[in-house]
């Protein structure tokens, strides 16, 4: 199995290491053995999270979608104009 470093994952996905840490802490990514070893499965999950957050989905909405094993229901950025 191929593993990637945090720096490589951030370069590939365009996300920040703090986001990876936050997503891992909130249970949005599958757990990992080593803090700096990201599998191709993680890479796919991260791409999905980047896409969802780009549409305005909150981490809570994403988590709820994962728990329900359904599509993430979000009102997007338009609903967050006042935030």
């Amino acid at each position: 199995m191929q593993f990637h470093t945090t720096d490589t994952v951030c370069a590939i996905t365009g996300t920040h290491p703090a986001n990876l840490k936050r997503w891992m802490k909130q249970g949005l990514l599958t757990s990992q053995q080593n803090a700096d070893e990201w599998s191709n499965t993680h890479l796919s999950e991260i791409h999905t999270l980047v896409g969802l957050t780009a549409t305005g989905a909150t981490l809570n909405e994403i988590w709820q979608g994962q728990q329900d094993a359904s599509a993430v229901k979000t009102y997007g950025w338009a609903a967050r104009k006042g935030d």
Side-chain angles (χ1 to χ4, degrees), residues 19 22-31 45-46 49 53 58-64 66-67:
N19 287 338
R22 184 179 311 113
W23 295 340
M24 184 63 75
K25 184 178 179 181
Q26 293 199 352
L28 299 175
L29 297 170
T30 56
S31 62
E45 292 173 348
I46 294 164
L49 288 170
T53 57
T58 66
L59 298 185
N60 189 43
E61 290 169 341
I62 295 169
W63 183 83
Q64 192 62 51
Q66 288 178 341
Q67 298 306 304

Side-chain angles (χ1 to χ4, degrees), residues 9-75:
V9 168
C10 290
I12 291 170
T13 62
T15 193
H16 192 274
N19 287 338
L20 298 178
K21 188 180 236 184
R22 184 179 311 113
W23 295 340
M24 184 63 75
K25 184 178 179 181
Q26 293 199 352
L28 299 175
L29 297 170
T30 56
S31 62
Q32 60 192 120
Q33 299 294 333
N34 186 336
D36 198 40
E37 286 186 353
W38 300 89
S39 68
N40 288 334
T41 301
H42 286 117
L43 203 55
S44 177
E45 292 173 348
I46 294 164
H47 275 296
T48 301
L49 288 170
V50 168
L52 288 169
T53 57
T55 64
T58 66
L59 298 185
N60 189 43
E61 290 169 341
I62 295 169
W63 183 83
Q64 192 62 51
Q66 288 178 341
Q67 298 306 304
D68 296 343
S70 64
V72 174
K73 296 175 185 159
T74 182
Y75 295 104

